[in-house]
Amino acid sequence: MHTSPQPAHDFLSFVNASPTPFHAVENVKDHLREAGFEEIKEREAWVSICQPGGKYFLTRNASTIIAFAIGKKWQPGNPIAMIGAHTDSPCLRIKPISKRQSEGFLQVGVETYGGGLWHTWFDRDLSIAGRVMVKTAKGDFLQKLVKIDRPILRIPTLAIHLDRQETFTFNKETQLFPIAGLVAAELNRQGRGEEGSEPEDSKASESTKPFQPLKVPMERHHPYIVELIAEEAGVKTIEVVDFEMLLYDTQESCIGGLNNELLFSPRLDNLEMSFCSTMGLIDSVSTPAALENESTIRLIALFDHEEIGSLSAQGADSNILPAVIRRLSVLPSEFERIPNSQDLYDQIRHDASSSTAYEQTLSTSFLISADMAHSINPNYAGKYEASHRPEMNKGTVVKINANARYMTNSPGIVLIQEVARRQGVPLQLFVVANDSSCGSTIGPMLAAALGTRTLDLGNPQLSMHSIRETGGVYDVGYAIKLFEGLFQDFSELEAKIFVD
């Protein structure tokens, strides 16, 4: 039994357009707006904005996004069905001062982000994408997204004839710098010739230059890179104040395998779960009556910085999700929103019900920590626990760990299994072998912070944290249906699982 391959094709379009967390969040916003979600701000008061039956989203740092839909029968203190995922992936990021030059080559200084399989970044056609802060003519500072669509960087390996090492090893600080071209070619482009002397009309006295606390981007980075960024942003180079640029592989994601059953793609971890949770939420509210008899809130939270520990303003270990839940938990019901009512009794009744609404909501809510899982690798089968070997295209993987690296327990399995049964989608189970290390997710930290019931799951994949990963085509559709079912059935199922 397989789902349609179309969700996988839609996902590939999403991941190809999302080389950075900033782009991923922007593309999620586009999907949400198309589905009728309204953007709100953290700085606003939500009581007058967020209405039962409404659909909303907010962002932080343009790299974390939370979206939710409020049931028409919402009451303060009611449960929230949540799915958490993350928008970031291991990558290389351009350093604040990146200009390098060695042996006739232009090079770019980069910094490792997260725990990548860095050897996979060698000999790939790389480019840059990210956000740039620009200064407008009015003196305002705006963010613009940039994606250079052609290969401009490459990290070359050393020929085997010069170093016959059996294990490929390298120094991440001295041997992981990409080349960006030849010095001679750049000097010719600038009209400076081989000697590198500046044209007379470009020379300026240091005393005539305006004071700058930091060197301007054109001095800290190779000028042509700044020019490309400015051109892509539609501004002048002098308007570029700073930027955050990530390297990415220009080879697009694609469908592969003899029977077109595999995904060959970067950033499956964790854009696949971000995409599936987004589409699951959207599909769950796709009909006009979807929220009419709903008493809960349906919510997704896609965080930045999971790959580096989540301890940041926009990470899962920040205050953003608890703050959002607190504000949602006290939203008045539709009945309590009496136009022009000045009845003191109504206000007292609402205040009394709201005093413990946050704690009530946390105790009855449910969180899925959705992060990609490990498929069995046929070349390394001995690394897997013998009875827990997930396979691609056989369903989403429920992750379990006795040492609480994952948060799954029996009540959670009961809930997700019933959702999967109703949706007709398969599930798999995974634990690591006792002699193997175990990764973790945002699940434990959010479960500890919220006290909310939590379960860890994800779609199976190979080559996690490689620049090029492999997943299953049909698992995308399975996860979307599973998440849609969770949102649709949670209010009914939550009341049937008795564990305190």
Side-chain angles (χ1 to χ4, degrees):
M1 178 194 67
H2 285 318
T3 60
S4 165
Q6 186 56 48
H9 289 277
D10 295 339
F11 165 66
L12 292 186
S13 297
F14 172 80
V15 74
N16 285 332
S18 304
T20 75
F22 307 115
H23 290 81
V25 165
E26 191 61 33
N27 289 318
V28 168
K29 288 168 63 175
D30 289 342
H31 281 291
L32 292 170
R33 288 193 187 100
E34 188 176 345
F37 284 71
E38 174 188 346
E39 184 168 11
I40 59 177
K41 304 293 184 182
E42 281 192 88
R43 68 189 66 179
E44 298 172 330
W46 292 357
V47 173
S48 60
I49 299 174
C50 298
Q51 306 285 329
K55 301 177 290 186
Y56 309 93
F57 69 88
L58 65 141
T59 63
R60 183 183 283 186
N61 188 55
S63 59
T64 288
I65 184 167
I66 294 179
F68 54 89
I70 307 171
K72 290 279 283 185
K73 294 187 176 180
W74 167 260
Q75 296 281 346
N78 276 13
I80 300 177
M82 300 177 281
I83 301 174
H86 64 90
T87 60
D88 62 322
S89 303
C91 66
L92 299 174
R93 297 194 172 205
I94 291 183
K95 290 184 175 181
I97 303 174
S98 71
K99 184 188 280 187
R100 300 283 194 278
Q101 183 174 315
S102 178
E103 305 299 334
F105 284 93
L106 300 175
Q107 291 184 284
V108 176
V110 295
E111 188 176 11
T112 58
Y113 175 90
L117 294 175
W118 303 121
H119 66 274
T120 65
W121 286 71
F122 282 76
D123 298 328
R124 303 295 300 184
D125 300 337
L126 306 174
S127 192
I128 58 174
R131 70 172 171 187
V132 54
M133 297 300 298
V134 302
K135 186 176 183 180
T136 69
K138 296 180 179 180
D140 297 327
F141 297 91
L142 302 178
Q143 167 189 289
K144 291 182 176 289
L145 297 187
V146 167
K147 178 174 179 278
I148 307 299
D149 284 322
R150 66 180 179 90
I152 60 174
L153 302 173
R154 195 175 182 89
I155 305 172
T157 51
L158 183 63
I160 191 172
H161 315 82
L162 302 179
D163 187 7
R164 295 183 183 274
Q165 55 180 329
E166 291 186 7
T167 303
F168 179 43
T169 59
F170 56 92
N171 185 297
K172 288 187 289 186
E173 179 55 32
T174 61
Q175 296 170 329
L176 197 60
F177 285 164
I179 58 173
L182 299 173
V183 173
E186 177 62 5
L187 291 176
N188 287 334
R189 185 190 71 86
Q190 297 177 10
R192 293 164 61 179
E194 292 286 342
E195 299 301 320
S197 59
E198 294 187 42
E200 288 297 323
D201 59 1
S202 68
K203 295 179 180 179
S205 169
E206 289 293 328
S207 62
T208 63
K209 293 181 179 180
F211 170 73
Q212 297 287 350
L214 294 173
K215 289 184 177 180
V216 297
M218 289 285 281
E219 294 176 321
R220 291 189 279 127
H221 308 279
H222 290 299
Y224 199 14
I225 287 180
V226 181
E227 291 172 22
L228 288 174
I229 291 171
E231 180 182 356
E232 184 69 17
V235 300
K236 300 175 182 177
T237 56
I238 196 173
E239 296 172 325
V240 174
V241 181
D242 199 43
F243 52 74
E244 297 167 67
M245 290 292 138
L246 287 61
L247 276 60
Y248 77 96
D249 189 352
T250 57
Q251 182 181 356
E252 291 196 337
S253 307
C254 64
I255 302 291
L258 289 175
N259 296 288
N260 295 314
E261 71 271 42
L262 300 178
L263 298 174
F264 300 150
S265 173
R267 301 181 296 281
L268 292 182
D269 176 24
N270 193 38
L271 288 188
E272 184 169 329
M273 289 293 92
S274 292
F275 176 80
C276 291
S277 57
T278 299
M279 300 313 297
L281 175 62
I282 289 173
D283 289 351
S284 79
V285 295
S286 59
T287 63
L291 297 172
E292 282 297 324
N293 295 310
E294 180 61 80
S295 60
T296 70
I297 291 176
R298 305 170 181 181
L299 180 148
I300 61 170
L302 313 181
F303 301 98
D304 195 4
H305 289 170
E306 189 275 344
E307 297 292 356
I308 57 172
S310 298
L311 187 59
S312 69
Q314 56 269 22
D317 207 10
S318 72
N319 75 329
I320 185 168
L321 185 57
V324 168
I325 295 173
R326 184 179 294 279
R327 296 173 75 170
L328 294 180
S329 69
V330 297
L331 288 178
S333 66
E334 188 174 45
F335 175 77
E336 293 172 307
R337 297 173 184 268
I338 304 172
N340 304 316
S341 172
Q342 300 298 318
D343 193 320
L344 182 59
Y345 173 76
D346 289 337
Q347 184 62 47
I348 292 174
R349 181 166 55 84
H350 174 68
D351 290 346
S353 66
S354 299
S355 61
T356 60
Y358 178 62
E359 290 77 12
Q360 290 174 272
T361 291
L362 292 181
S363 69
T364 53
S365 295
F366 188 75
L367 168 68
I368 283 183
S369 168
D371 206 344
M372 295 294 281
H374 299 294
S375 167
I376 181 68
N377 186 321
N379 295 332
Y380 301 91
K383 294 289 187 180
Y384 295 75
E385 205 281 333
S387 299
H388 299 83
R389 296 181 170 184
E391 299 177 44
M392 291 182 190
N393 292 323
K394 291 193 175 181
T396 300
V397 179
V398 178
K399 299 187 281 187
I400 304 163
N401 183 258
N403 296 298
R405 302 289 287 174
Y406 306 131
M407 284 290 98
T408 304
N409 60 13
S410 292
I413 291 177
V414 169
L415 174 63
I416 202 67
Q417 184 174 228
E418 180 60 20
V419 171
R421 186 190 64 79
R422 295 184 179 194
Q423 291 294 313
V425 296
L427 294 174
Q428 306 182 74
L429 297 173
F430 174 77
V431 299
V432 296
N434 287 328
D435 58 357
S436 173
S437 60
C438 182
S440 191
T441 68
I442 61 174
M445 69 181 66
L446 287 175
L450 301 173
T452 293
R453 295 169 293 176
T454 304
L455 178 139
D456 273 285
L457 55 68
N459 279 352
Q461 70 161 94
L462 291 171
S463 307
M464 188 177 289
H465 289 194
S466 171
I467 196 171
R468 204 74 186 165
E469 301 169 327
T470 301
V473 163
Y474 300 103
D475 289 325
V476 178
Y478 286 145
I480 292 173
K481 289 190 69 176
L482 182 68
F483 295 158
E484 177 187 2
L486 172 76
F487 288 129
Q488 291 175 339
D489 297 334
F490 175 70
S491 57
E492 175 194 345
L493 294 176
E494 186 277 330
K496 295 181 177 181
I497 301 175
F498 302 100
V499 178
D500 283 323

